[in-house]
Amino acid sequence: MTTLKVTDRDGRSHTLEAYKGSSVMESLRDEDMGIEAICGGQCACATCHCLLDEAWFEKLTPPGEDETELLESLDHYEAGRSRLTCQIIVSSQHEALELTIGPEE
Ligand code: FES
């Protein structure tokens, strides 16, 4: 298990447990953090958008071309912070990953 530090849309902080090998989106959805994840993690809906702490953004594997295209189509896209949580697979490198649930589009 890995710990995630999540700020919800109301500004409340939560500490969640995430299974290694699962996506961050799955933990957020399971804990009812306001993530819809309509496409189920297929990188097609962007309803799992989050804003990462900037230091964390730099540490993660960069988003792929499909993810970047989808992110850039969002009204609330922030370069250097926005990620789709279905595209972040939890590993021990993500211990204490800090993120904020993206605003509703
Ligand atoms: S769940 Fe649809 S893009 Fe992430």
Side-chain angles (χ1 to χ4, degrees):
M1 296 288 264
T2 296
T3 301
L4 307 177
K5 295 183 180 292
V6 179
T7 302
D8 67 23
R9 290 189 180 118
D10 294 324
R12 289 186 300 241
S13 300
H14 305 264
T15 300
L16 307 184
E17 298 291 324
Y19 288 100
K20 290 176 187 163
S22 68
S23 70
V24 170
M25 174 275 282
E26 291 173 277
S27 295
L28 299 176
R29 186 186 57 191
D30 292 350
E31 294 297 329
D32 217 8
M33 291 287 114
I35 289 287
E36 291 179 84
I38 292 168
C39 76
Q42 300 302 306
C43 197
C45 70
T47 60
C48 65
H49 176 222
C50 72
L51 299 168
L52 294 185
D53 174 85
E54 287 172 4
W56 271 106
F57 187 92
E58 299 296 325
K59 287 186 202 170
L60 301 187
T61 305
E65 200 174 311
D66 289 350
E67 181 182 351
T68 301
E69 242 176 65
L70 198 50
L71 285 168
E72 288 177 350
S73 73
L74 296 174
D75 291 340
H76 296 99
Y77 170 69
E78 287 189 34
R81 290 193 68 204
S82 285
R83 289 298 305 264
L84 298 178
T85 53
C86 68
Q87 301 303 302
I88 305 171
I89 304 303
V90 177
S91 74
S92 50
Q93 292 180 314
H94 299 111
E95 179 59 36
L97 174 68
E98 293 180 40
L99 61 90
T100 300
I101 305 297
E104 286 190 272
E105 290 293 313

